Structure formats: structure tokens, C-alpha cells
Amino acid sequence: MKKAFYVSFIALVVIGIGYAVWLPSERTATKRIRFDLACTDIWDVYRDVESQGDWRADIETIEIVSATNPRAWIEHFEQGPDIKFTEISSAAGQNLRLAFEAEGFFTGSYNASFREDEKGCLGTFTETVYLESLWSKIMSYLFFDLEEAIDLYAESAASEARNRSPQIP
């Protein structure tokens, strides 16, 4: 009986690894999110890298690598690898492009664009991750949802923007 269990277990592991080999190394998610705030309010929060450790629950600390062009920083997380971000381009209030990497695990890009309309601010966010190893693929597909990460960041940023905005009587 024990032998059958071990053989079954080993077969499942081999099948799982075989399946993981065929998973794509590139993952992309795009989300459109409507904010009930002005784009400038959201933009100010997205660009304020230094304060993110104060309003993002998943961040332990932010380490500024370069405060000048190109800006670069490392986000140290409570769980998961540290991620280094480098600003590729920024058009005030409209578009922010970043490159990121977690050494040995993944690299990627992030694009956030903002457009004001009659209902507030419409944000479009695209994150692309290039997984560097079989282990990264397995962990990413099992435990990380790109769309959920975009949502969480946007919700936290909107909450922080509301906290910063002067209260209208």
C-alpha cells in the first residue's frame, strides 16, 4: 500500500513538473480602473515612491537607489523577493513606464496611463512578467495573480489619495 502511494506521489510530481515546463514564461495582465478622484491626485500618489511603505500593506521598506533620472528603487516585501524598479519614462499626469526585476526570478515592465473624463480618472495598467526559471513559473502560476496585484495597488493608491485630499465641507 505504501509503495503504491509513493509511486502515485512521484508520478504526480513528475506530471506537475512536466506541465510547468510547458507553461508560458511570459505573463501579461491589463486592467482598466475608474477612480472617483482627479487624475492629478492619483498621479501624485503613484509618483511618490518614498511614501509607499507607509500606505502599502505588503511593503516592508523602500530603498531609493537613484533619486534622479532614471529614478530607481527597491521594494522590500514581507513575503517574496525584493524587486528593483527603474523608471523608463514619465509624462506628467498621463503615463508612467517602469522596468522591474527580482534577480534570478523574473523581469518585467509596468505601464500606467491616466485619462480624465466626466466620471473622474480612468487608469489603464499593464504589467508583463518574464519568468526566468521553472521554479519561478511554478510559484507565479500557483500563488500570484497579476490582475489582483494591479487591483490591490490601485485600491491602496486611491485610498492614500483620498487621505491626502483636503476635505470639502
Side-chain angles (χ1 to χ4, degrees), residues 7-164:
V7 169
S8 297
F9 178 76
I10 290 170
L12 285 173
V13 169
V14 169
I15 290 168
I17 290 172
Y19 177 72
V21 166
W22 296 105
L23 288 172
S25 294
E26 178 182 320
R27 296 184 65 195
T28 298
T30 298
K31 294 276 305 210
R32 286 186 156 189
I33 300 172
R34 174 148 322 274
F35 299 96
D36 59 351
L37 298 154
C39 285
T40 54
D41 294 336
I42 294 293
W43 177 259
D44 290 345
V45 172
Y46 268 74
R47 293 275 297 143
D48 185 6
V49 173
E50 293 84 353
S51 75
Q52 288 187 23
D54 298 332
W55 54 268
R56 288 181 58 198
D58 59 337
I59 294 287
E60 245 178 36
T61 59
I62 301 283
E63 175 187 345
I64 303 301
V65 176
S66 173
T68 58
N69 203 0
R71 293 186 336 145
W73 62 94
I74 299 172
E75 295 181 357
H76 300 280
F77 293 88
E78 292 176 9
Q79 296 180 352
D82 296 340
I83 303 174
K84 180 181 180 187
F85 289 84
T86 304
E87 189 173 270
I88 302 302
S89 67
S90 174
Q94 297 174 358
N95 189 278
L96 176 65
R97 289 184 51 226
L98 306 172
F100 59 84
E101 68 175 314
E103 194 171 320
F105 294 100
F106 56 82
T107 60
S109 62
Y110 177 82
N111 186 58
S113 63
F114 303 93
R115 182 175 54 85
E116 199 86 41
D117 64 17
E118 67 281 351
K119 296 178 183 175
C121 181
L122 180 62
T124 303
F125 308 92
T126 301
E127 186 163 341
T128 301
V129 178
Y130 303 96
L131 303 161
E132 294 182 358
S133 68
L134 178 62
W135 179 248
S136 296
K137 280 196 218 179
I138 292 169
M139 298 305 286
S140 176
Y141 280 94
L142 285 177
F143 299 111
F144 193 74
D145 182 330
L146 287 175
E147 288 186 4
E148 186 177 294
I150 291 170
D151 282 337
L152 176 62
Y153 188 94
E155 288 169 14
S156 298
S159 178
E160 176 64 12
R162 282 186 203 92
N163 289 338
R164 292 180 184 190

